[in-house]
Amino acid sequence: ACRNYSGLSETAHFLQGGSRNIGLQKITRICAGIQENAKRSDHENIRILVGSLETELPIVRQQMVNMREKGLL
């Protein structure tokens, strides 16, 4: 299978910076891990971290919806 580790590293870097800018520490750490593992072409750890990201993103989204409903955003 062809795996674009360079593209994945770039995308993770972009998401890491954006999440850091708005204080999403857990997502920042996950993205940093994806980026580092992409540099090493470590598919298994990337798979695990992407799973963590997929779990965390809906939680953050719901928190943002709650904040918007309370007028905090």
Side-chain angles (χ1 to χ4, degrees):
C2 178
R3 295 190 174 109
N4 183 356
Y5 291 112
S6 176
L8 179 61
S9 180
E10 289 176 18
T11 300
H13 178 75
F14 174 78
L15 290 173
Q16 178 186 0
S19 59
R20 183 186 310 117
N21 286 341
I22 60 173
L24 301 175
Q25 295 174 3
K26 189 169 186 177
I27 291 178
T28 299
R29 286 191 303 273
I30 292 169
C31 290
I34 292 171
Q35 185 179 10
E36 285 303 311
N37 283 281
K39 289 178 184 175
R40 294 192 304 267
S41 302
D42 187 340
H43 180 73
E44 184 58 28
N45 279 330
I46 292 168
R47 188 185 64 75
I48 292 166
L49 289 163
V50 168
S52 296
L53 188 60
E54 290 173 336
T55 299
E56 190 64 22
L57 287 174
I59 295 168
V60 170
R61 183 183 182 286
Q62 187 58 52
Q63 290 171 341
M64 292 179 76
V65 167
N66 293 344
M67 291 174 69
R68 185 173 50 226
E69 288 173 352
K70 293 177 183 175
L72 301 173
L73 289 177

